[in-house]
Amino acid sequence: MAGLTPGRWAIGHTTATTAAVLQQDGTILADRTDSPSLAVLHSWLKQWEEAARPAPDTYTPALVRAGDHEDQAGWLLRLS
């Protein structure tokens, strides 16, 4: 999740050089039209729609370390 402006949150995907987010109002923002992160975000939305748009409370969240190396520090949110 990203805080874009006060009181406004977005979920999204990032890499070292690209980013794309889906804002609360449904607006999608990306660093460019051919962004790899935008492609991932579209893939997630397609999967969600194919699953009949399940509600957030149907998912089980888990935080997973991003990697075993210092250059991959951080956490990933996984939903199952």
Side-chain angles (χ1 to χ4, degrees), residues 4-29:
L4 302 177
T5 61
R8 187 173 231 171
W9 290 93
I11 60 169
H13 181 273
T14 62
T15 68
T17 59
T18 68
V21 295
L22 172 63
Q23 297 183 125
Q24 287 173 314
D25 66 0
T27 302
I28 295 175
L29 299 174

Side-chain angles (χ1 to χ4, degrees), residues 2-60:
L4 302 177
T5 61
R8 187 173 231 171
W9 290 93
I11 60 169
H13 181 273
T14 62
T15 68
T17 59
T18 68
V21 295
L22 172 63
Q23 297 183 125
Q24 287 173 314
D25 66 0
T27 302
I28 295 175
L29 299 174
D31 58 302
R32 60 183 197 261
T33 57
D34 63 344
S35 171
S37 289
L38 182 58
V40 170
L41 188 61
H42 280 153
S43 169
W44 290 347
L45 289 169
K46 182 179 177 187
Q47 291 173 40
W48 177 69
E49 289 179 354
E50 289 172 349
R53 299 181 176 192
D57 62 355
T58 63
Y59 293 99
T60 302

